[in-house]
Amino acid sequence: MDTWVRPIRRGWVVRGEVPGPDVDEFAEPDAVVAALAAPGAALDTLLAVQHPARTPAALARGLDLPAALPSARAALARIRARHYRSMAGFVAPYRIEGLDGTAVGVLCLVDVRELTAGGSHVRHTEDVYPHVVAERAAVLSGLGCATSAALLVPSSGGEALTEVVSEVCAGLGLPDVSTVDQSGRRHELWAVPSGTVQGRLLHAAAAADLLVADGNHRVAAAAQTGSLLALVTAGPQLRIGAIHRVLTGTGLSSSALADAWRAVGLDVAPATSSTPPDRPGSAVVLARPANLRVTLPPADELTIDHAVVEHLLFARALGLDLDGPHVHPLPAGRPAPPGADAVVQLAPVAFETVLKVHAAGLRMPRKATYFTPKPRGGLVLAEI
């Protein structure tokens, strides 16, 4: 068996509930800062460990990330001692059930050392923000421990993986961990030591190359250490939700936006509904004083709306730096930040499109897909 999918050599399984807020529910730095400012949120929680320079204490002292990491390591040691049990050489078959789908898979370590050399079994599906990767890599290296898992999907043959994991879960009895997240999804996992069952799970997880469904930045950061904590799953009910774009700090009204977009040849009209589009080719823009519908130029099936919006509507028409402070991703269902100038709503990307982009040797635009259901951060920690 190829050993690029491996057991967790040394890890920790939560004994009860994960301490603090759900670590993977906060993407933007401002949201992390606000969450950590809540009473008790920064006191020995995994969210504070993952973002040590954004805690109230670190901000008050003006600490940068390297200066804040020693206290994060100490906090992580206390968290593991109080809330986790140590285990060695295990994998965890994992089951998620919720209104947004069902997924079963294998929580394990995946070798990503050849990620940038083109010979890896793990393939990025989206471009990444270099500054986010650098920060995540610094935290991962500084802690020596992964606290949340990326979501990887087989490029082919996923039905066989689902069948194996479902059969194993059915025969293992009560799970070692069972918890419900804030969205109502139930997460269950079993810690499986070395042996025939573990070998069967690892063989199924390594049967095909893997695409990054969620966690492209985590994967890129893990490439510097070589090992990635990942949930390998094919669903069977994985869904891709929309990720919109938010404009902040531009001061632009809907009329100014419409004028700029018409100037580059786009068809812009008043929106008759605030509902996001359900198919590619247009954007519904929530702005003041009136909402807009923008018809995007015709494109082939490998051209993703998010790329058109960023490069044509934002960079060319508005002169915005895509890596600057004015453009932000926003997963569907989450509120826009206070004072947002506009929310550019886009249709979800079909999984078939993701596979076609991958098959063509291309990548999706950054933050274009939002896969659910995802593993919950903090249920298993892995030494890296």
Side-chain angles (χ1 to χ4, degrees), residues 270-343:
T272 57
S273 170
S274 61
T275 302
D278 59 4
R279 63 187 64 186
S282 67
V284 174
V285 183
L286 308 182
R288 289 181 295 272
N291 296 335
L292 306 170
R293 175 174 286 275
V294 182
T295 302
L296 303 178
D300 60 46
E301 61 182 3
L302 299 181
T303 300
I304 309 303
D305 286 357
H306 298 71
V308 176
V309 165
E310 290 192 339
H311 294 288
L312 181 57
L313 278 70
F314 295 167
R316 181 179 169 189
L318 302 179
L320 297 178
D321 179 0
L322 299 179
D323 292 321
H326 302 300
V327 180
H328 310 272
L330 182 71
R334 295 189 184 177
D341 301 317
V343 177

Side-chain angles (χ1 to χ4, degrees), residues 88-355:
F90 70 99
V91 301
Y94 194 121
R95 182 166 61 207
I96 317 169
E97 294 180 330
L99 294 177
D100 55 356
T102 300
V104 295
V106 183
L107 197 63
C108 54
L109 290 185
V110 177
D111 190 332
V112 289
R113 285 176 295 179
E114 299 179 8
L115 186 66
T116 58
S120 175
H121 291 286
V122 180
R123 309 294 174 85
H124 278 299
T125 53
E126 294 184 358
D127 288 325
V128 295
Y129 296 97
H131 69 282
V132 176
V133 173
E135 179 180 307
R136 286 184 176 269
V139 172
L140 186 63
S141 298
L143 297 176
C145 181
T147 59
S148 59
L151 185 69
L152 307 182
V153 299
S155 58
S156 62
E159 299 84 359
L161 171 64
T162 299
E163 182 178 352
V164 168
V165 179
S166 297
E167 183 179 325
V168 167
C169 291
L172 288 177
L174 294 176
D176 293 300
V177 175
S178 180
T179 187
V180 177
D181 66 23
Q182 64 182 24
S183 298
R185 305 182 194 96
R186 177 163 293 280
H187 301 254
E188 298 177 327
L189 64 86
W190 296 256
V192 175
S194 61
T196 303
V197 174
Q198 183 185 109
R200 187 182 178 203
L201 291 167
L202 290 173
H203 181 78
D209 286 347
L210 303 173
L211 307 181
V212 184
D214 180 77
N216 279 278
H217 292 87
R218 267 170 283 185
V219 174
Q224 300 186 26
T225 66
S227 293
L228 170 76
L229 179 63
L231 178 66
V232 181
T233 177
Q237 293 177 313
L238 288 176
R239 300 179 184 178
I240 300 181
I243 297 189
H244 309 313
R245 294 295 185 264
V246 179
L247 296 180
T248 62
T250 67
L252 295 172
S253 65
S254 57
S255 58
L257 292 171
D259 289 344
W261 292 336
R262 289 186 180 114
V264 295
L266 292 168
D267 179 8
V268 183
T272 57
S273 170
S274 61
T275 302
D278 59 4
R279 63 187 64 186
S282 67
V284 174
V285 183
L286 308 182
R288 289 181 295 272
N291 296 335
L292 306 170
R293 175 174 286 275
V294 182
T295 302
L296 303 178
D300 60 46
E301 61 182 3
L302 299 181
T303 300
I304 309 303
D305 286 357
H306 298 71
V308 176
V309 165
E310 290 192 339
H311 294 288
L312 181 57
L313 278 70
F314 295 167
R316 181 179 169 189
L318 302 179
L320 297 178
D321 179 0
L322 299 179
D323 292 321
H326 302 300
V327 180
H328 310 272
L330 182 71
R334 295 189 184 177
D341 301 317
V343 177
V344 181
Q345 300 181 114
L346 299 166
V349 180
F351 187 49
E352 292 76 11
T353 300
V354 176
L355 293 178

Side-chain angles (χ1 to χ4, degrees), residues 49 52-53 63-75 138-143:
V49 166
L63 300 182
D64 60 9
L65 182 56
L69 273 170
S71 63
R73 286 193 293 270
V139 172
L140 186 63
S141 298
L143 297 176

